[in-house]
Structure formats: C-alpha cells, structure tokens
Amino acid sequence: SAACECGYSTHSIKSNDNEVYTDALESDFLRLKDFNSQEDWDRQVWETPPVGTAKWGRNHTAANVRTNPGPPAAEGGVEGSDPGLQLWVSSGVPEGGSVPSGEVATRRRDMLYGSFRAGIKYTGEHGTCGAFFWQRNDNAEIDFEFLSKLYTDPSKADLLLVIHAAPEVSRDDIFQPTTVPFRPDFGSHEYRFDWAPGRITFYTDGKLIWETEKGVPSEAGGLILNHWSNGDPGWSNGPPAKDAHMEFSYVKAYFNTTSDAEYKIRCRDRSKPDAVCKVPDQTSPPEPKKSTTFVSPKKGLPGQGGPSPPSPQKVTPDATCGGSNGYTCLGSEHGDCCSSYGFCLNGVQCE
C-alpha cells in the first residue's frame, strides 16, 4: 500500500480543528523544467475583445506561460529571476488589439471543498492583474486577486478577496479589499483559502485575513492561475510599460471530489500510521529558492508515481496495480488506468 492512501489532514489555523481530505494535487514549480512533462495543468489559449471600459482585449497565449527552474541553492532560475512558473503580460500597445497574457488551469474539475495554497511573487510593474483562484463558472469562484497599480507603499499593500456568486448576493458580502503588511512584489508569500460547506477562510503566510459565509459555492470545479491586462482604468490599468511576470513557486491543494469510489478502494486501513498524511502549515513567507514540504506520493514532481512495473503485466484480480505486483488495469473490471496510489480508476476518473 502507499502512504496517504486514506487522505490528507489539514489544520484550520482559526479553529484549531483538523479536516481530512481524500485527494491531493501538489506542484513543485521550482523544479519543473518542461511544462509538458507534468499532467496536472494545461496552458490556456483564448482571446476576448474589450469588455465594458477596457481599452484592449485579452489574448492568453502559450508563449506567455514559461518555466524557470532553479537547482537547489541557486541564485535564481535559468532566466536569472526567482525560479518558478512564470505568467507574463506583454508591454506596450498590443498588435491586433489584445494584450498577450498567461494562464494555466488544472485538468481536474472535480474539486469539491478543500484547502488550497500557492507560493506567489507578484510583479512590481504597474498595469496588470494576477489571480490564484478556484472556479466552477462565472457565478461560482473563489479568488485571490492582485492589482499592481495598488502597490505604492513599500511596507504594505491591498489584496482583493473576491467571491463570484449568484447576482442576488450583495457585492458588499463577497468583495473584500484587505491590507497586508508586506508588498507582494518584494518576495514570495503563501496565499491560502480553505473552502468548507457554508464558509471560506483566507490566509496569507498562515495568518487569517478574512472569513465569509456569503456566496459560498457548493459544486465542484478546478484551479486557475492567471496574469493579464486589458487597459481597464477601473481594474488592471495598463498594459505595463515593461514586460511583466508573476512567479508561482508551488501550488498545493487538498480536497474532496465528486466521487469517492477510488478512495474507498485504496483506503483499506485508516488506522495505519501513514494512511493519513499530515499537511504542515506555512506560517512564514516561503523561501523563494527552496522547495516547500510536499506530502503526497508524487512529492510535487511530475511523472513520479513509483517504480515501473515488470513486463509482461498481468490483469489485476483485486484493483491494485503497478508497483511491485506489476498488475495492469487494462482488461479488468476495475477500471482503465492506474492511479499514483496503486489502484485502478475508471475512464471518467482517468481524464
């Protein structure tokens, strides 16, 4: 059996309670060399015309999503700046009327309640908007938003905490500008939101900054990271005078899903010492050039799911797969693919 097969225990800093979630997604962007080597995120490529008071459209391109890995103890990534996944916004008057920007989204869209964290260093170039958020649709969204135009005081800055909810929910209940005692562009910080039935709690570096019970989503969705500009004087301003980038050193998500079928197969003995993995709290700014603690079997790395099974493979008789037994899921009644935990999943769960 694998460690963490019965889930992940997260700690509520506010209530001092623990919550166990069935699944995890951990991405160590400090060590990611090739974006295509990982299977959790997709670059988003789309374009929209100007909307409302925006001067320009938004053009999210694959080229504006870049990896910038840094080896241990490096002074910076391969491009010289702090290492991590970089989302770029291009400068100047855009050709074609839309500002080139960057966005990635998780392939998984079945995240239903959980604890979501990201190590982020924002840009100091005025004229962009960045975000770390969970989304189902335009009426179900939980956001950390960054506006670089607000960063004028060297000792503090405003973050925008936003819940996108049904139109009947008052904006005053779901839009919260919050001052933090640091500049998001001066260094990396952890931004975290815990989403439970009827409640959302926001943290920075382990400190509670806002809690709301209004407009809380109750259906599943996925995570999105983006950085963009459209010249809207009421929001992003811009485009920036220089090409601007924000960096994500990691994303860690611990969550329940819309189906617990695979969880019930792999969680056979919750009393075992390593069956439930304890997720540590980040209570200070993460070090930008050092990897944080990862607890899932993949340890934040792409393509690390354990040793390759021997060949030829035998069809699994009991839904276990891979690892030392060498069983394959193909041709079995238990599913089509083998999860990182060593249990078969069906076709829908494999997507």
Side-chain angles (χ1 to χ4, degrees):
S1 62
C4 312
E5 65 261 36
C6 291
Y8 303 84
S9 176
T10 65
H11 174 237
S12 170
I13 297 172
K14 181 189 177 187
S15 66
N16 206 32
D17 294 330
N18 292 319
E19 184 72 38
V20 175
Y21 295 106
T22 62
D23 286 57
L25 183 155
E26 295 180 326
S27 298
D28 183 358
F29 292 130
L30 295 182
R31 293 186 285 172
L32 181 63
K33 296 180 179 180
D34 178 5
F35 187 86
N36 294 324
S37 70
Q38 55 78 44
E39 299 177 348
D40 292 323
W41 301 85
D42 285 324
R43 291 182 173 98
Q44 302 299 291
V45 178
W46 53 272
E47 185 172 3
T48 58
V51 177
T53 57
K55 297 179 180 178
W56 312 102
R58 292 166 58 179
N59 182 17
H60 290 251
T61 72
N64 280 43
V65 177
R66 308 174 194 173
T67 57
N68 185 35
E75 290 302 315
V78 294
E79 294 192 10
S81 56
D82 285 344
L85 180 70
Q86 297 182 336
L87 304 183
W88 286 78
V89 175
S90 301
S91 60
V93 177
E95 296 182 8
S98 297
V99 181
S101 305
E103 179 175 283
V104 299
T106 56
R107 294 181 179 179
R108 294 193 67 159
R109 300 284 299 169
D110 62 346
M111 300 176 179
L112 181 61
Y113 306 121
S115 183
F116 306 89
R117 306 117 187 260
I120 303 172
K121 181 181 179 183
Y122 198 55
T123 181
E125 294 293 332
H126 286 195
T128 75
C129 174
F132 160 52
F133 61 107
W134 171 97
Q135 183 191 60
R136 178 177 176 82
N137 54 44
D138 289 343
N139 289 328
E141 190 170 308
I142 305 169
D143 288 20
F144 270 104
E145 302 229 17
F146 306 82
L147 294 180
S148 55
K149 70 179 183 180
L150 301 178
Y151 304 155
T152 57
D153 188 311
S155 62
K156 61 183 180 180
D158 282 343
L159 300 176
L160 301 176
L161 312 178
V162 185
I163 311 298
H164 289 230
E168 60 268 19
V169 179
S170 170
R171 178 179 170 85
D172 293 338
D173 291 329
I174 56 176
F175 182 84
Q176 181 69 29
T178 301
T179 301
V180 292
F182 58 81
R183 280 275 295 265
D185 57 316
F186 284 1
S188 182
H189 295 271
E190 182 178 272
Y191 301 88
R192 166 182 169 181
F193 58 89
D194 290 356
W195 168 36
R199 185 180 68 256
I200 303 168
T201 311
F202 292 84
Y203 302 89
T204 54
D205 298 329
K207 298 176 178 61
L208 174 68
I209 57 174
W210 187 46
E211 184 176 50
T212 182
E213 297 179 355
K214 305 292 186 180
V216 179
S218 59
E219 296 181 277
L223 291 177
I224 299 176
L225 319 175
N226 68 19
H227 189 206
W228 56 274
S229 179
N230 63 2
D232 189 338
W235 198 251
S236 70
N237 277 6
K242 299 179 180 179
D243 290 351
H245 62 87
M246 66 185 298
E247 286 144 350
F248 291 82
S249 54
Y250 63 85
V251 169
K252 297 190 284 187
Y254 310 96
F255 53 93
N256 292 332
T257 71
T258 51
S259 172
D260 61 357
E262 191 261 352
Y263 176 76
K264 289 180 177 179
I265 293 173
R266 62 176 154 90
C267 181
R268 300 187 175 188
D269 185 0
R270 192 164 175 169
S271 66
K272 290 173 51 180
D274 61 349
V276 176
C277 292
K278 182 179 180 181
V279 178
D281 292 326
Q282 180 73 40
T283 57
S284 61
E287 296 189 48
K289 300 178 181 66
K290 294 183 179 180
S291 291
T292 184
T293 300
F294 297 97
V295 298
S296 72
K298 286 188 177 182
K299 302 296 183 186
L301 289 173
Q304 182 177 318
S308 299
S311 182
Q313 290 179 281
K314 298 178 180 179
V315 175
T316 179
D318 58 3
T320 62
C321 55
S324 59
N325 65 31
Y327 290 146
T328 179
C329 300
L330 293 175
S332 77
E333 62 182 13
H334 304 290
D336 304 318
C337 64
C338 186
S339 76
S340 60
Y341 295 97
F343 295 95
C344 296
L345 303 176
N346 64 37
V348 174
Q349 295 167 319
C350 291
E351 293 177 355

